[in-house]
Amino acid sequence: MHSPTAVPPSTPPALEIERGASLRAFNTFGLPAVAKALVRVRSEADVKRVVNHPELGIAPKFILGGGSNLVLTQDVDLCVLKLEIKGIRLLEAREDAWIVEVGAGESWHETVQWCLDHGLPGLENMALIPGTVGAAPVQNIGAYGVELKDRFESLDAVDLVTGRSITLNAAQCAFGYRDSVFKQHLQGKSVITTVRLRLPRPWVPVLGYLELERKMAETGIASPGPRQIFDWICEVRRAKLPDPSVVGNAGSFFKNPVVSAEQCRDIIGRDPEIVHYPLEDGSFKLAAGWMIDACGWKGKSIGRAGVYERQALVLVNRGGASGAEVVTLARAIQESVYGRFGIRLEPEPVVV
Ligand code: EPU
């Protein structure tokens, strides 16, 4: 990994434009689709060259990171920008936090590892989340009690209309549950090039999740360090989430729905077992995986798309599935959950 601010060569290489490019290898679901044009973006300057390009500049864009949160149901009649900006470095060691600057094209999990290897803890609960660093703020990734927004300083992005660089802080990113300004009004309008992570000092472990409490009880380790938590998270995730390099998938396929206290009481009245978590504002988050499981979907398939055997929230490609098959399965699940619980499940990945 190199510094993201490395000086570019004096004559930059021409943009690499691939017409009619297959996207199958670039989405973790392994779905077939062809892009009208695919451009590999390796620097902020490359993004600006795309904006100023006579043909690409005006073409509508689709921004592709690791393709781990994507369901391709058709060919993509857009200019796909594949973010490959590399680089990771410790930017600043403040008294209250380490600031780590990372290129958008770096792998998220490798970044978590790099930080641990350099004595910079704080990301361990988010180990093994697939995808790239640039995609992490888009849907405010999170796992086991920590979200990206809790470890975020700022990011740089390039406006795809003006070509201007902008820097956004956390408030400007408007992070929500698997949501940000990049899924709302900035969608398709700007490209994240660099992310600065904020790792608070002193390090404080986040151990409130049932699975981590279970590991502590099993091992008798009462005060685990960051490396221990990292190892446990990897074990927990490997036990219940499919490895996308083996079984095509996009992680959780649906968001966990948020309902009012009244709605929650109503559902508990009918289904006392339903897994639910109180939120600060008095509403409740329901476990979509539990509801899908309760509807009998775990391990089932429609065509070549299926529901993962060990976690009903994850849809998988059983081999050669099309995006249409995945969407058909997702709709059937939505209908049965609605029929039983009166809840409309919302997909988490971007469906194209
Ligand atoms: N459950 C079932 N059956 C299932 C699946 C889940 O009964 O088939 C129950 C579980 O026993 C548990 C509850 O539902 O009581 C919640 O399940 P789990 O703890 O596995 O978490 P989740 O709600 O399914 C969320 C995130 C994951 C994240 C985990 C851990 C969403 C949509 N998903 O999953 O994120 O790793 O919590 O923090 O918020 C992702 O976004 O792609 C993702 C994997």
Side-chain angles (χ1 to χ4, degrees), residues 142-144 177-178 209 237 240 251-252 254-256 275 277 287 289-290 293 298 311-313 348:
Y144 303 99
Y177 167 55
R178 297 294 188 275
Y209 250 72
R237 289 187 71 103
K240 69 176 187 189
S252 299
F254 298 102
K255 291 189 193 182
N256 286 326
V275 178
Y277 316 93
W290 185 90
D293 198 358
K298 202 184 256 180
Q311 161 63 294
L313 196 53
E348 196 202 83

Side-chain angles (χ1 to χ4, degrees), residues 10-175:
S10 49
T11 323
L15 283 175
E16 249 179 70
I17 307 169
E18 217 181 304
R19 314 229 176 231
S22 167
L23 296 177
R24 195 195 287 265
F26 301 145
N27 72 99
T28 60
F29 238 123
L31 300 171
V34 170
K36 190 176 177 189
L38 180 110
V39 182
R40 290 167 191 270
V41 171
R42 301 205 168 97
S43 64
E44 188 183 69
D46 273 357
V47 182
K48 297 188 178 189
R49 265 185 270 154
V50 169
V51 174
N52 294 323
H53 189 278
E55 177 201 340
L56 302 177
I58 51 168
K61 315 283 189 308
F62 183 82
I63 298 140
L64 182 64
S68 60
N69 203 43
L70 181 61
V71 183
L72 291 168
T73 65
Q74 55 189 332
D75 287 342
V76 182
D77 195 27
L78 303 167
C79 169
V80 175
L81 301 185
K82 186 162 186 301
L83 265 290
E84 296 186 351
I85 300 173
K86 299 289 182 179
I88 178 163
R89 62 173 177 155
L90 174 63
L91 185 68
E92 217 185 320
R94 293 184 198 153
E95 211 167 289
D96 63 338
W98 291 285
I99 309 296
V100 179
E101 187 174 67
V102 196
E106 291 288 355
S107 132
W108 172 264
H109 180 67
E110 282 173 22
T111 299
V112 175
Q113 281 177 314
W114 185 95
C115 288
L116 280 180
D117 291 346
H118 289 78
L120 308 168
L123 302 177
E124 53 286 342
N125 291 52
M126 292 187 280
L128 271 189
I129 295 183
T132 55
V133 168
V138 176
Q139 57 152 347
N140 183 26
I141 60 168
Y144 303 99
V146 182
E147 286 185 331
L148 179 89
K149 73 166 171 51
D150 306 320
R151 301 287 181 266
F152 180 84
E153 174 72 6
S154 64
L155 60 77
D156 296 339
V158 176
D159 184 309
L160 281 174
V161 177
T162 62
R164 240 179 271 143
S165 302
I166 48 171
T167 298
L168 301 184
N169 62 24
Q172 291 165 317
C173 290
F175 292 123

